[in-house]
Amino acid sequence: MTEVVRTSAPAVQIIRSLWNTYKALDAADFNSEEDEEELALRRQLCMNLNETLGTTQLLLNFQSGRPVLILRPPLDLVNFPHPRWPIECEVIRDVIQHIEWEPPDPEPFYEPSGQKEAPIPAGEGGKVVYSTDSATNSLYFTCSGVWGSRGSLKSTTSLAKTSDATLEFESRFESGNLQKAVQVGAYDYELTLRTDLYTKKHTQWFYFRVRNMKAGVTYRFTIINLMKRSSLYSQGMRPLLYSERAAESNGVGWQRAGFNIRYYRNCSQNTKESNDAATNLYSLTWTLQFPYDSDTCYLAHCYPYTYSRLQRYLKQISSNPAVASYCNVWILCHSLAGNAVYVITITSGGTSGVDVRNRKAVVVTARVHPGETNGSWMMEGFLDFLLGDSDDAQVLRDNFVFKIVPMLNPDGVVVGNYRCSLAGRDLNRNYKTVLKDSFPCVWHTRNMVERLMAETEVVLYCDFHGHNRKNNVFMYGCNSRGKGSIKLQERVFPLMMSKNASNKFSFKSCKFRVQKSKEGTGRIVMWRLGIKNSYTMEATFGGSTLDDRRGTHFTTGDLKSMGFYFCDTLLDFCDPDQTKVANCLTEVSAMLRKQIRKKMSKDLVTNNNVSMSDLETSTSGSNSSDSDGLPVHLLHQQRSPEKTPLKKKKKKLRTRRERKRFQPEPVRSNTETKESGLSHENIEEERHQEKPAGGQSRKWQLNGVMRKSETSSPASHAGDASQVPLWRGCKPIQEESQERLCPSCMHKLKHPCPSTDYSASPPSDDVMERRQVRYSAPFLTLSVLPPCPLNLMQHKRYWYPSSLSSHRGCSGSSACLASLEEFCFTSSYNYSVMKRFCALLGLSPYLMTPCRLPPSAFIRMTPAIAPTAPTSRSSRRQVFRNRNLLWVSNNLSSKGFSTSVTDMTKTAERSRDRKDSSEG
């Protein structure tokens, strides 16, 4: 019986809607440069499909301008499809493969014959013979296709007519990098490299094709936009040349070529325009003679190793039944462009599952930086050894579980980047990321290691890299935090490597610093996860300066041999007989003592507890600080279609106090509107803007409404006005230019302080009316000039303890202090302003804070009322409420009170009655 699978109606509608939306995009313009909004909409189509259908098993692919729904292949089903490119990239469909070849003798470094003058740049002159800018027009990655752009290939030589003697350039193939070529002479060409996609940085890797040459003619090539201030080209390194005719006829592959090599800073650059070091450009120039006429040749920075070559290698070992018994190739994840990130598990099949689980693990990765192709050659040598038939390989497979990720950044390898992925960021600075969708390769690698560590012990982690400024092979590690011999344990493995590969590996170049700028690297992240032996193995782009290989270039065979030596060293390092490890620890300790004596220029008796940070230089090989941060497509998130914001659920108010806080108060609103002259809408708007954030503000309950104080910002200069919050409706008293006297005792003030009017008589009715308005309205800021004290509002005199009546500024009454203290309660004062004021008065500022006042200091305001009952039985606080006052007493001793609260209230009422009768 045949089962019919029915698609639900909502799913059909969604797919149909996506198809209609896609058709709305003008398909006729796909051959031209596409708008950013259209590209972002295509990316949004894929995202909406996964989110709406609630599955990630359906993928929306674009073929010949039409969206096609496909099923995501399972991870354990290994397939090797064609590489996927960003749709902005134009790709030629030529199959490019190179043969492997080892020169009979090591190729020596170039020795300059003398100081050569740098060629003068042509500037705007010259004839453009090759230009491709389509891949650099987009700001961020949107989607990908198998052959990149769906349109027909554009001509790269249409800008000018080319003669028969002009070279033909091409780089629109896998790992190729050349943006523009300008002919500035008959046989002289200026070349411009393309930066890493969606960035403006990282130009070092080059790989391009040249045709239509003449044999015996000296050509000059000058790359004019390199960004590293130093290079191995200044130390004798030569570029690489590959001739197809030489490979077919003589079996000769990549070989070093070039003369008159010079690496220099561009002299025409105006360095005064910017202090940014990244704006400094450098040039590499060299001359070259091609061996054959009308040949097809390739020039490269290092031996290319493409993603397609890795796929062919993995397909070969997967199809071998003998290797398949102990080697498993599967897909770890997919990159942003959809290229598979492969992971290889190598271990012998044990007699039982427990035997396999008890084995220790080793994790090795490579090619996180796509332009460092020497890392892939070392990785291939490492795999060849482990998958071989030797006894040492069998011992390793029987005792370890190897987790190997041979290419961490397939997207960057495909498009010809030097350092970054399609996110526009350096993956080796984002191992701590939580952005799984933006950095899937390193996120899944770290997750794999964490799961592996939960099952067994990871003995060693190593990431294979390339280095552009130093010769030889060396390692970067992490200083351990232990004591004694444990502290030097991380140096044992590199020292053993230098003994096994003495003519290629340099222990003196190894560094073990843990720098803050490298916290996101794989080496440090794995070390912080708990892997003590965490390394980065760096192989030079140049050659060796050691022993019998001194002054010669590395070949692909030399790089692959470092993978062999790595396995051999692992056997020595994990040998049950730890004699070699103990000897290496002793040797490392002796070398450190020697370095300390040399650095401090005197004999010191030291132990292993010495800090080694001062003995090593920085481990910085390339500066990727400009590649830190969010992925570029998230930085341009505002260009993509926005989603409909979700409605926020209202929070349920459980208590009466919470419900009262949001109840409307028409009386309060009418008063504010009448006194301030503002509309109700303006008041609500200002009230919303003035509401402070967090719980750092003090609250008063005035007229049954909670109000929050607003903290004023201090003035940045002495002459600037500082903001002091007062109540709306108050008019500040004008400063008087009279003689500065104390308002209470009429004594001259010793400090330079302008006088302020303090009225000792009872306030009049208009003052009382203003005072009521003052306390029932929102805040209003008043600008005053420091260090002058604040012009306070008109206050009543009140009693103050005699113990605080004497101070440096005044020799008489304490009315100044009383007025100052009343200001603390009647307004939301700024503590910094009060601190300056107290300094002028010669008092300690803590005496002026409300929480530090003496319990006997009672602030009397009009009208006074009797105390209410305590708010809580558990609390010993008594609250005296008034429309104009919130005063809290903590039931402390009230010694020094001349009258009680009730007496003061009765006195105030009798004085008010006498005043009313006299006026009547």
Side-chain angles (χ1 to χ4, degrees), residues 138-156:
S138 300
L139 298 177
Y140 56 94
F141 172 74
T142 55
C143 54
S144 62
V146 174
W147 294 109
S149 177
R150 292 178 297 275
S152 59
L153 294 178
K154 300 178 182 178
S155 175
T156 58

Side-chain angles (χ1 to χ4, degrees), residues 582-636:
N583 293 337
C584 289
L585 282 173
T586 304
E587 186 175 351
V588 167
S589 179
M591 285 190 295
L592 285 177
R593 290 191 182 97
K594 186 177 179 180
Q595 292 180 21
I596 293 174
R597 293 189 187 101
K598 183 178 180 180
K599 186 173 183 64
M600 305 194 65
S601 302
K602 60 182 179 179
D603 189 9
L604 294 176
V605 180
T606 61
N607 52 24
N608 291 335
N609 294 327
V610 187
S611 175
M612 276 91 60
S613 60
D614 295 334
L615 302 179
E616 298 176 348
T617 57
S618 172
T619 61
S620 176
S622 298
N623 182 17
S624 293
S625 59
D626 54 319
S627 298
D628 294 341
L630 291 174
V632 290
H633 66 272
L634 293 183
L635 295 179
H636 298 277

Side-chain angles (χ1 to χ4, degrees), residues 140-187:
Y140 56 94
F141 172 74
T142 55
C143 54
S144 62
V146 174
W147 294 109
S149 177
R150 292 178 297 275
S152 59
L153 294 178
K154 300 178 182 178
S155 175
T156 58
T157 59
S158 59
L159 299 181
K161 293 184 178 181
T162 58
S163 61
D164 295 338
T166 303
L167 295 178
E168 298 176 3
F169 295 86
E170 183 60 77
S171 67
R172 294 173 296 177
F173 48 83
E174 190 175 354
S175 296
N177 190 326
L178 179 66
Q179 181 175 345
K180 186 169 66 173
V182 180
Q183 186 179 13
V184 296
Y187 306 105

Side-chain angles (χ1 to χ4, degrees), residues 110-126:
Y110 167 72
E111 295 182 1
S113 57
Q115 186 69 21
K116 302 290 184 179
E117 292 185 2
I120 301 175
E124 298 296 334

Side-chain angles (χ1 to χ4, degrees), residues 247-418:
E248 293 174 359
S249 59
N250 303 325
V252 177
W254 288 98
Q255 56 183 337
R256 301 286 174 172
F259 300 92
N260 302 321
I261 303 172
R262 188 180 177 191
Y263 192 89
Y264 59 93
R265 181 175 175 177
N266 293 354
C267 57
S268 62
Q269 185 176 353
N270 185 10
T271 58
K272 296 182 179 180
E273 294 180 359
S274 176
N275 295 327
D276 188 5
T279 60
N280 298 329
L281 297 181
Y282 299 84
S283 294
L284 168 66
T285 182
W286 74 98
T287 58
L288 179 67
Q289 290 186 355
F290 295 100
Y292 300 98
D293 288 336
S294 302
D295 192 9
T296 298
C297 296
Y298 296 87
L299 294 170
H301 178 61
C302 189
Y303 305 100
Y305 197 104
T306 62
Y307 180 65
S308 297
R309 177 185 172 89
L310 173 66
Q311 288 182 316
R312 291 193 296 268
Y313 181 84
L314 297 179
K315 188 176 182 179
Q316 178 184 354
I317 65 177
S318 299
S319 59
N320 188 347
V323 175
S325 62
Y326 50 80
C327 176
N328 181 24
V329 180
W330 52 288
I331 297 175
L332 177 66
C333 64
H334 287 84
S335 62
L336 288 179
N339 294 308
V341 180
Y342 301 99
V343 61
I344 309 170
T345 303
I346 300 177
T347 189
S348 298
T351 58
S352 63
V354 178
D355 183 28
V356 177
R357 286 194 297 269
N358 290 335
R359 296 176 185 175
K360 298 180 179 180
V362 176
V363 181
V364 182
T365 61
R367 211 63 184 280
V368 68
H369 293 149
E372 298 172 358
T373 59
N374 34 16
S376 288
W377 290 105
M378 291 191 297
M379 175 60 72
E380 185 169 310
F382 175 71
L383 291 174
D384 287 344
F385 187 92
L386 280 180
L387 301 176
D389 299 331
S390 65
D391 295 337
D392 290 342
Q394 185 65 43
V395 172
L396 289 173
R397 293 195 297 264
D398 292 342
N399 291 275
F400 297 98
V401 177
F402 292 90
K403 293 289 186 178
I404 303 165
V405 185
M407 190 170 288
L408 280 166
N409 192 352
D411 293 347
V413 173
V414 169
V415 301
N417 280 0
Y418 174 63

Side-chain angles (χ1 to χ4, degrees), residues 607-870:
N607 52 24
N608 291 335
N609 294 327
V610 187
S611 175
M612 276 91 60
S613 60
D614 295 334
L615 302 179
E616 298 176 348
T617 57
S618 172
T619 61
S620 176
S622 298
N623 182 17
S624 293
S625 59
D626 54 319
S627 298
D628 294 341
L630 291 174
V632 290
H633 66 272
L634 293 183
L635 295 179
H636 298 277
Q637 190 174 4
Q638 64 274 12
R639 296 177 179 268
S640 59
E642 298 181 356
K643 299 181 180 180
T644 305
L646 299 176
K647 292 184 179 181
K648 228 176 184 179
K649 292 185 178 180
K650 293 184 178 180
K651 182 182 177 182
K652 294 184 178 180
L653 306 178
R654 299 180 178 179
T655 63
R656 184 190 304 175
R657 181 175 299 178
E658 291 177 350
R659 292 194 297 269
K660 271 188 173 182
R661 188 180 306 174
F662 296 97
Q663 286 180 357
E665 296 189 10
V667 177
R668 172 187 171 189
S669 303
N670 294 339
T671 306
E672 292 173 356
T673 307
K674 180 179 179 180
E675 297 296 337
S676 59
L678 299 175
S679 63
H680 178 74
E681 292 78 5
N682 296 337
I683 293 177
E684 291 297 329
E685 182 179 358
E686 289 189 11
R687 185 182 306 161
H688 177 71
Q689 294 176 356
E690 293 175 356
K691 182 178 180 181
Q696 299 181 359
S697 61
R698 293 185 175 87
K699 301 180 180 180
W700 288 271
Q701 187 171 0
L702 305 176
N703 293 334
V705 181
M706 298 297 296
R707 293 192 178 94
K708 298 183 179 180
S709 65
E710 180 177 310
T711 307
S712 62
S713 58
S716 56
H717 303 285
D720 297 341
S722 62
Q723 300 295 326
V724 181
L726 296 178
W727 299 97
R728 179 175 296 154
C730 303
K731 296 182 179 180
I733 300 177
Q734 302 295 330
E735 295 185 3
E736 300 178 359
S737 58
Q738 299 175 358
E739 189 179 16
R740 299 170 184 175
L741 302 176
C742 182
S744 176
C745 58
M746 302 306 293
H747 286 68
K748 291 185 179 181
L749 296 177
K750 298 180 181 180
H751 50 79
C753 174
S755 61
T756 307
D757 185 15
Y758 301 96
S759 175
S761 59
S764 58
D765 292 339
D766 58 340
V767 175
M768 288 297 300
E769 184 179 358
R770 287 201 308 270
R771 187 173 295 177
Q772 291 178 0
V773 174
R774 177 186 310 163
Y775 291 110
S776 61
F779 291 127
L780 179 66
T781 56
L782 175 65
S783 298
V784 296
L785 295 175
C788 299
L790 304 172
N791 283 331
L792 304 181
M793 298 170 292
Q794 200 165 7
H795 301 281
K796 278 181 69 76
R797 286 189 58 185
Y798 61 92
W799 186 90
Y800 200 82
S802 58
S803 58
L804 299 177
S805 60
S806 59
H807 54 85
R808 182 179 59 182
C810 178
S811 60
S813 173
S814 60
C816 295
L817 292 177
S819 301
L820 175 60
E821 189 177 14
E822 183 176 0
F823 173 74
C824 299
F825 280 87
T826 57
S827 65
S828 175
Y829 73 99
N830 190 322
Y831 182 72
S832 60
V833 177
M834 302 305 301
K835 190 174 181 181
R836 293 197 299 269
F837 201 176
C838 294
L840 294 175
L841 297 178
L843 294 177
S844 177
Y846 79 91
L847 292 175
M848 295 296 102
T849 59
C851 58
R852 297 277 185 169
L853 284 175
S856 58
F858 174 75
I859 306 175
R860 181 188 175 197
M861 305 185 68
T862 306
I865 60 174
T868 61

